[in-house]
Amino acid sequence: MPRAAEMRAAHSERVAPNRPRHPLRRTDALVAIVLFAAAILARWPFIARGETLLHSDEAIVGIMAQDIAEGRRFPVFFYGQRYMGALEAYVIALLRPLFDDPITSLRVGPTLFFAMLTSLQYLMLTRWFGRRGGLIGAATLILAAPMFVQWSISARGGYIESLVWGTLLWWAYWEWFVPPNRDSAHAPASARKKFLLGAILGSGMWINPTIGVFLAPVIAHALMAAPLAAARRDPRLSIALAGLDRTFRSLPMSLPVVVLLTIAVATSIWGMWVVDGRVRTSLLMDMLPRPAAAAVLVIAAIVAWRSLTQRWPVLPFLRSQLTSAGPLIFGALVGLTPTLIYVVRRTLTGAAVEASLPLGLRPMWTIGDPLLYLLRGLPLLLAADGGPFLDLVRVGRSYVTVPVSPQVAAGLFGLNWLVLGGLLTCGVVMAVHYRDELVAALRLRPGPHAPSAFLVLAWFAMLSMYVMGACTFDFTTIRYLVPLWAVVPGLLAATAAADSLRRAAWPAVGCLLFAWALGQAAFFTQLGPPHPLTRLAGELKASQERGELDFALAEPLDAHLLTFLTQQAPPIGEYQSFWPRLAHLRRETNVRMPTNYVVHAADIDWMRDWTDAGWPGRSPPETSRFLWPALKRFLREHPEDVLSRTTLPDGYELWRTTRAIPEAATDS
């Protein structure tokens, strides 16, 4: 035991290095205001050309804003689901009177949140790395890669807001719960601060569940401070940690190994993933029948609980922690108020709760496809060339963009290599300049760990959660990587603050910003043509004004876009939707009454478009076509029930039938 005691003492003394914070001054507040305006101005050209890439998800948010502004409906969540709160729609509803074009207000709403993100990141990074780092972080967001530019002005259900709330969560945690350095006195956070942190977390969970990827590094960072120090002092745990240190003496691998083992054990106990559009779950890797596996887990939990309570004062510890966390829990419940209202209202009315994403971790043997999506998705997210992103957006759609010249395409290809070189150089600078801070975290030394280590931890936590997430079921889920743009500014700010390697750091950061800025300019030139459904929407609106059309059905994505573009005059319902968003409109239909259909009358195989383009995984549900095949079949079998076929703009037709065409069941 003396040897063990010596080992515990030696390892407990190895702690993370200190890094003081920088003060914020009045000048920084003024700079943040200027950056807010600069962020809006930088995105305004893309807002002005925002019609080109109008997405069906944005159309749903626009319809929600129309309903709110007109007092028809007051949604809590994105239509058709019980996640992604409707905050974005309420903001856009307030903006509608300021703009004649509804697409402009649809773009300005998320752009305001993007401007908030830019200002918040500047202030947070200035605290961590000084004003130079804060300015680099803000410039990174403003001069970002084309894919993020588009997402920063897209009302897709709270994605850009989740970056704002995630940044608020990180900054509040660091200001209120992390001491400026290890040796400084740091009073426990007040109940008010705990409440506010809980409110940020709760409201973030309502806005978008991706707040979880921001919470994960906070939890890890907090556990690696006082709890890890206590574990290093514990007679039993310190021996295990010392053994881990000896095993990886030459390599800083303790943290990755612990994380991998934790994930492996957790997902072996319970896992969730999607197969052929259906959610699957496993209990103990399906080695036993479900009842037997549940019984084994219950027995194991009882044994583990008894063992813990005999070795440590678990109950008093839990009581003290719950008491301390009371304000935080209360704040989270307050932030979740819209969700609680939704649940209570649905319960009291007897209405079923709407569908949600599979929010769980997949077994480790199922991560092959998500890894492929990650490897193909990161270049789209970070590249200077927006062409591949446009190619992905166009699959299954008829968006018209302006092609770039061969010379510009060659230049963009070169800029992609410049981005790769800049990112690799920044990674080397981070690894060398912040070596002690990063190694301390990787070797599980007690913290609090420095912001540089926190940002690296956040980067890999987001990548890991994407790969392990059950919701990563096709390649379109690369949108869940968008929160990485809350980390990239910090990593570049940390690189720019590496004074010992300034000759490498500054050129690397400059090359990245230069390449992304030129990529934005090229991306802008590719936008501008009207949305492919604009003329069709105008014709449908004119038909409604003439009293010829009051309602119709269409393919789901067409229905969303046309309903928004016509301002619901007329509304267009979904035919056989894989995930109904406008189910409330279907109440206007009657299967025995004449029904109108708007359809693209061409034998286009959108699923084949996906395969031919070489995108990984199965084609997403939105590439499926149901209405056109159903109408052709109906015409063959019941020609007498087709009352009329009217030609509409851009290859569309308006069909009128004596009765509604039956819809087959689909997986959602």
Side-chain angles (χ1 to χ4, degrees), residues 12-28:
S12 64
E13 291 173 0
R14 299 176 188 174
V15 293
N18 290 328
R19 182 167 289 275
R21 294 179 198 158
H22 300 265
L24 288 177
R25 308 188 187 281
R26 291 183 180 178
T27 305
D28 295 306

Side-chain angles (χ1 to χ4, degrees), residues 410-442:
L412 291 171
F413 180 78
L415 289 176
N416 283 343
W417 284 103
L418 190 62
V419 168
L420 179 61
L423 291 173
L424 291 176
T425 304
C426 288
V428 171
V429 170
M430 288 283 296
V432 174
H433 183 79
Y434 299 101
R435 178 183 181 278
D436 292 342
E437 298 171 5
L438 299 178
V439 168
L442 291 172

Side-chain angles (χ1 to χ4, degrees), residues 454-519:
F454 178 82
L455 289 166
V456 172
L457 187 67
W459 175 267
F460 285 103
M462 289 183 180
L463 296 183
S464 301
M465 293 183 73
Y466 176 80
V467 171
M468 296 300 303
C471 55
T472 308
F473 49 79
D474 64 38
F475 188 59
T476 64
T477 60
I478 61 169
R479 61 186 180 274
Y480 302 147
L481 293 173
V482 169
L484 287 172
W485 277 98
V487 185
V488 173
L491 295 176
L492 265 62
T495 301
D499 290 330
S500 64
L501 297 171
R502 183 179 300 178
R503 291 185 178 181
W506 276 94
V509 172
C511 285
L512 284 170
L513 298 182
F514 173 75
W516 284 332
L518 289 184

